[in-house]
Amino acid sequence: MLGERYVVRKGDSLWKIAENRLGSGTEWTRIWKYNNRPEVVRETGRRIPNPDLIYIGQTIIIPQMPGVKKSAVPAGTPPQPHAEAVP
């Protein structure tokens, strides 16, 4: 397996997906670049030429990062809002 399969849902962005699946939104470029690799494109059937344009229902692959524990949240689960700290 090349990584975790993820189906894009309404409201998703590469930043949000990276934040929820890789632990940091700044890792969005890793997802974008990975999904443009020939072996990943063969698996998903689609490149991501413009990182600002991903589509509901589109399957992407989340690369596995060494040392990062895989998310306990099932693939395709919508991101949960962060709770605000109460003073």
Side-chain angles (χ1 to χ4, degrees):
M1 178 74 140
L2 299 170
E4 175 190 356
R5 293 178 75 83
Y6 181 86
V7 178
V8 176
R9 300 174 74 96
K10 184 177 182 176
D12 275 344
S13 67
L14 291 180
W15 180 280
K16 288 180 185 177
I17 295 167
E19 191 172 50
N20 288 315
R21 298 291 190 240
L22 301 178
S24 172
T26 60
E27 294 293 331
W28 72 268
T29 57
R30 183 181 301 274
I31 297 172
W32 176 51
K33 290 175 184 178
Y34 192 72
N35 279 270
N36 286 306
R37 293 174 62 168
E39 65 273 19
V40 177
V41 173
R42 279 193 297 277
E43 181 76 20
T44 63
R46 175 182 238 171
R47 292 186 179 283
I48 304 176
N50 181 342
D52 293 325
L53 295 176
I54 58 174
Y55 301 95
I56 296 169
Q58 178 179 357
T59 298
I60 62 174
I61 305 290
I62 310 298
Q64 294 184 3
M65 293 176 51
V68 174
K69 212 173 185 183
K70 187 175 177 182
S71 172
V73 180
T77 302
Q80 300 298 313
H82 297 285
E84 293 186 26
V86 179

